[in-house]
Amino acid sequence: MDRSWMRANRLSDEYEQGVMEFLEFAESNAKKDLPPPKSNAEDSQPTLFFCPCVRCANKEPKLSKKKIMDHLICEGICQNYTQWIWHGEVVENSNVSQRDNVSVEMDDRLEDMMCDIGQDSFKRAHAYDSLCNDKDTPLYPGCTNFTRLSAVLKLFNLKAINGWTDKSFTELLELLTQMLPEGNVLPSRYYEAKKILCPMGLEYEKIHACPNDCILYRKEYVNYNHCPKCKASRYKKRHGESSDDDEVKKGPPAKVVWYLPIISRFKRLFANANDAKNLRWHAEERKCDGKIRHVADSLQWKKIDSLFPNFGKESRNLRLGLSTDGMNPFGNLNTNHTSWPVLLMIYNLSPRLCMKRKYVMLSMMISGPKQPGNDIDVYLSPLIDDLKVLWEEGVDVFDAHSGEQFNMRAMLFCTINDFPAYGNLSGYKVKGHKACPICEKDTCYHQLEKGKKTVYLGHRKFLNRYHPYRRLRKAFNGEQEYGVAPKPLTGEEVYQRQQGITAIFGKYQKRPIAKNIWKKRSVFFDLPYWSSLEVRHCIDVMHVEKNVCDSVIGTLLNIQGKTKDGINARLDLGVMGIREELTPQYIGTNYVFKLSYHYLLMLK
């Protein structure tokens, strides 16, 4: 059956005729499978089947012929639904499995992304028609290589890769418009080019938040105009308004968090045949020889497969990594403004694609100017809700690679952060005398008298039992180390420690004096599987490599501004009775001490 009508304009007679032929085809196949009627009377209920429009995407519930026709005219049909397997067409497996080679270009998903455009029906219909027209319009009369849409996509791809500013992009468009032949349809301004790609944009939720990080104005607080905890206004105060004014005057929100729903984005990934194939790499193409080359080779991955066999047997179920940290969106180091993006990585992908910008998903942006700190759980609640749905119920997704629909589930595999962010996410106090999350109350600490810092000197107990460093005295704290490294806490043990803690979120809230080293119950324990994971939080390599190594090298080479070998550090050595030969001597008005290369001799 001819399918060329699927790409025609929905206002044309060709498209309408094609819809009628498709519905007749689906109705005839549906009647073949129905049992014969018991009487000569016609059935009172109409035949129901799946709707292939861009909104329904062949998902439940089934609809009548008339409703499906309305959907296809208003919404449009999914462009990648070329084999009508949900409406009675028999397709051989060999034809379904033939796919193109893998491509990681940013603009190779146009046809599939067009199947999930817009918000409401009316706007989506007009946006889709405009997008189709731009897709078929040549860049200039006689041009066969580029259409208006493909040219704009290529230019925007270069803009993103090279970091062009909006002003420079506008100047480039103006120059290209003059260089191209007359009659070209290339937009001459950045704003016009952006409007062409607007129908392809992802949806997002703009959620109002309390300026003191107490609550999000959603669910039971959606209609509140003041925070029920700190009584702060939901909206910014206008010039001249008093803070005691009871009259609600709406305006710009005091604080906003942007949430990009992850479920619709996962559906888009599977709607592209190449991406759907890449998401099975860990099960179909990974080399399994006992060596750790990928996250799928880890013990935690295998434990999840054994604890949740129904989840593990479906290779298309996603395992995600979460990372967040503060950043200055203005690029000015002197500005005390910090916003916190929350990123998701998909570990089903190969190492070549896993950390590419194309597949790193921005799921949330927590606006500043102050960091959320311990109150980050308030902002993560929309993401946690979606993760719970993806684990407990799953969502029906169309796999363009296999040409079938399946129930996709997903789980959060771990988080990757620096140490302060680790404390905010896990609920452990990473500052003070008990800062080690492994040792907890048995953390070996020492408060320096001159440097006024807390140092931790019991790290040698994590070495092998017969390691020679355990017997060194002068090089460390003057004593041999006989301690045994404690075992890391399991998820169940952490969960039990956090059970009785009542966290009070929000800045400027009166909190009771906490005697517990755990400051809250982590929001991730709302996920049913979180306590079963062996490794829940990871420290990122960048901070270990750069910050720690920079400090060590700066100290050994005595780099100004980088060395930790200062007067106070040398004086503290004398107070502790360690390496007395390095103690500074007070001569005249200055301290004199040996250079840092003596540490190199110590390590030999």
Side-chain angles (χ1 to χ4, degrees):
M1 184 175 176
D2 182 27
R3 285 152 171 81
S4 60
W5 59 272
M6 296 173 62
R7 300 185 181 277
N9 192 310
R10 279 178 287 143
L11 301 179
S12 62
D13 295 335
E14 178 186 359
Y15 183 87
E16 185 176 354
Q17 182 64 27
V19 170
M20 296 299 299
E21 293 177 1
F22 167 78
L23 294 176
E24 292 175 1
F25 171 81
E27 187 175 27
S28 61
N29 287 314
K31 289 183 177 180
K32 292 179 183 178
D33 300 330
L34 293 176
K38 296 181 180 180
S39 62
N40 295 331
E42 295 184 357
D43 296 336
S44 58
Q45 296 183 353
T47 305
L48 303 179
F49 26 76
F50 291 106
C51 176
C53 74
V54 296
R55 186 178 66 179
C56 299
N58 291 316
K59 297 184 297 185
E60 294 285 353
K62 294 183 178 180
L63 303 177
S64 63
K65 180 179 177 181
K66 183 178 183 305
K67 288 186 177 180
I68 293 178
M69 183 175 180
D70 294 337
H71 281 206
L72 293 179
I73 296 297
C74 296
E75 310 288 344
I77 190 170
C78 284
Q79 297 295 306
N80 59 355
Y81 186 54
T82 56
Q83 297 169 339
W84 299 337
I85 57 176
W86 297 102
H87 298 84
E89 185 176 9
V90 179
V91 181
E92 297 181 1
N93 292 333
S94 59
N95 293 335
V96 176
S97 61
Q98 295 176 358
R99 302 292 173 190
D100 297 331
N101 295 329
V102 177
S103 174
V104 293
E105 292 295 328
M106 298 294 291
D107 56 346
D108 61 349
R109 302 170 55 193
L110 173 61
E111 299 298 332
D112 302 308
M113 291 174 69
M114 288 168 59
C115 297
D116 192 21
I117 295 172
Q119 302 291 330
D120 56 76
S121 302
F122 179 78
K123 292 182 179 179
R124 180 167 23 209
H126 288 273
Y128 186 87
D129 289 338
S130 175
L131 199 61
C132 288
N133 292 334
D134 292 334
K135 186 177 74 70
D136 298 329
T137 303
L139 184 59
Y140 55 85
C143 178
T144 58
N145 295 329
F146 294 99
T147 63
R148 189 171 192 242
L149 181 60
S150 65
V152 172
L153 277 172
K154 289 286 186 182
L155 291 172
F156 264 97
N157 187 29
L158 291 175
K159 179 183 186 297
I161 293 175
N162 297 286
W164 295 344
T165 63
D166 297 348
K167 181 179 179 181
S168 65
F169 191 68
T170 297
E171 294 176 355
L172 175 65
L173 290 176
E174 292 175 349
L175 180 61
L176 290 176
T177 304
Q178 299 174 5
M179 296 174 62
L180 291 174
E182 293 185 3
N184 69 83
V185 292
L186 186 71
S188 59
R189 308 287 299 175
Y190 166 73
Y191 178 73
E192 297 174 4
K194 189 176 179 180
K195 283 172 56 177
I196 296 176
L197 299 184
C198 279
M200 300 176 64
L202 291 168
E203 60 177 314
Y204 64 91
E205 297 179 18
K206 190 176 179 181
I207 306 174
H208 295 182
C210 171
N212 296 324
D213 303 333
C214 301
I215 62 166
L216 294 182
Y217 290 97
R218 59 190 294 265
K219 293 185 176 180
E220 66 270 22
Y221 304 120
V222 66
N223 294 322
Y224 282 45
N225 292 316
H226 292 83
C227 175
K229 296 183 179 180
C230 67
K231 308 304 179 182
S233 175
R234 178 174 181 172
Y235 305 99
K236 292 181 180 179
K237 293 292 183 181
R238 295 184 177 89
H239 182 69
E241 287 184 355
S242 63
S243 58
D244 299 331
D245 191 2
D246 295 332
E247 183 181 357
V248 177
K249 297 181 180 180
K250 296 184 179 180
K255 193 170 184 179
V256 174
V257 58
W258 283 266
Y259 176 59
L260 289 77
I262 59 176
I263 295 178
S264 59
R265 303 174 78 182
F266 290 151
K267 289 183 178 181
R268 284 198 176 191
L269 282 176
F270 280 100
N272 181 275
N274 291 334
D275 289 340
K277 182 180 179 181
N278 292 337
L279 291 172
R280 303 185 187 188
W281 180 91
H282 68 96
E284 299 178 355
E285 302 181 36
R286 178 172 57 92
K287 185 177 181 180
C288 301
D289 56 359
K291 299 180 180 180
I292 298 181
R293 293 187 173 91
H294 187 264
V295 185
D297 299 319
S298 64
L299 295 178
Q300 177 152 306
W301 192 291
K302 298 174 183 177
K303 182 179 180 180
I304 292 172
D305 290 342
S306 61
L307 290 177
F308 313 105
N310 292 332
F311 179 85
K313 68 181 181 181
E314 175 56 74
S315 61
R316 292 171 291 189
N317 288 337
L318 303 179
R319 311 192 195 205
L320 311 171
L322 182 145
S323 181
T324 182
D325 200 359
M327 58 165 286
N328 189 338
F330 305 109
N332 186 356
L333 298 180
N334 295 325
T335 303
N336 296 324
H337 188 289
T338 175
S339 296
W340 283 60
V342 180
L343 306 176
L344 291 178
M345 286 71 67
I346 304 175
Y347 289 143
N348 295 49
L349 298 167
S350 64
R352 183 174 66 90
L353 302 176
C354 190
M355 295 299 172
K356 279 192 175 292
R357 182 186 299 180
K358 176 181 178 181
Y359 295 104
V360 176
M361 299 171 55
L362 175 64
S363 61
M364 184 174 293
M365 175 60 76
I366 305 172
S367 61
K370 297 180 180 179
Q371 65 173 354
N374 190 53
D375 305 320
I376 194 172
D377 289 10
V378 174
Y379 295 97
L380 291 176
S381 57
L383 177 61
I384 296 297
D385 291 344
D386 278 355
L387 288 173
K388 289 174 64 177
V389 171
L390 288 170
W391 174 260
E392 296 173 349
E393 304 173 9
V395 293
D396 293 332
V397 176
F398 179 75
D399 185 353
H401 176 65
S402 62
E404 62 181 10
Q405 196 167 10
F406 74 103
N407 184 265
M408 184 204 70
R409 297 169 63 194
M411 69 173 298
L412 185 62
F413 190 81
C414 66
T415 69
I416 306 175
N417 308 97
D418 60 358
F419 200 54
Y422 164 84
N424 294 333
L425 294 179
S426 66
Y428 187 81
K429 294 181 180 179
V430 295
K431 298 179 181 179
H433 294 167
K434 310 295 181 182
C436 178
I438 306 298
C439 302
E440 287 192 296
K441 295 181 180 179
D442 298 327
T443 302
C444 297
Y445 69 92
H446 182 81
Q447 192 71 34
L448 297 179
E449 182 178 333
K450 301 296 183 179
K452 308 300 181 182
K453 294 183 179 180
T454 304
V455 295
Y456 308 94
L457 303 176
H459 51 277
R460 284 185 293 163
K461 63 185 176 184
F462 289 94
L463 296 173
N464 185 281
R465 181 179 179 183
Y466 302 103
H467 198 284
Y469 277 12
R470 281 180 172 265
R471 300 191 299 271
L472 294 180
R473 297 182 180 182
K474 293 183 179 180
F476 293 97
N477 60 351
E479 299 176 358
Q480 292 189 16
E481 180 61 64
Y482 299 103
V484 180
K487 293 183 179 180
L489 298 178
T490 64
E492 292 292 342
E493 291 173 338
V494 174
Y495 180 72
Q496 294 299 327
R497 281 165 167 75
Q498 296 182 356
Q499 272 296 89
I501 301 176
T502 302
I504 301 177
F505 295 115
K507 305 291 190 296
Y508 314 116
Q509 294 288 323
K510 292 184 179 180
R511 296 181 175 88
I513 299 176
K515 299 181 180 180
N516 198 333
I517 54 178
W518 296 91
K519 53 188 177 181
K520 65 177 180 180
R521 177 183 175 274
S522 175
V523 69
F524 293 110
F525 280 107
D526 292 342
L527 302 173
Y529 51 84
W530 192 248
S531 59
S532 302
L533 301 181
E534 292 289 343
V535 181
R536 297 165 300 282
H537 305 280
C538 305
I539 303 299
D540 64 285
V541 179
M542 186 274 291
H543 285 82
V544 177
E545 280 188 346
K546 185 179 185 302
N547 296 5
V548 176
C549 291
D550 280 359
S551 298
V552 173
I553 294 175
T555 301
L556 295 176
L557 301 181
N558 197 28
I559 302 175
Q560 187 176 4
K562 299 290 185 180
T563 180
K564 305 298 181 181
D565 185 20
I567 294 295
N568 290 330
R570 293 297 186 96
L571 292 176
D572 283 319
L573 287 177
V575 173
M576 298 171 63
I578 302 174
R579 298 190 63 82
E580 296 178 356
E581 67 275 12
L582 298 179
T583 303
Q585 302 296 325
Y586 190 77
I587 301 176
T589 59
N590 297 318
Y591 281 104
V592 178
F593 53 87
K594 297 181 181 180
L595 296 177
S596 301
Y597 67 81
H598 285 274
Y599 286 117
L600 291 174
L601 300 177
M602 177 191 71
L603 296 175
K604 288 186 177 180

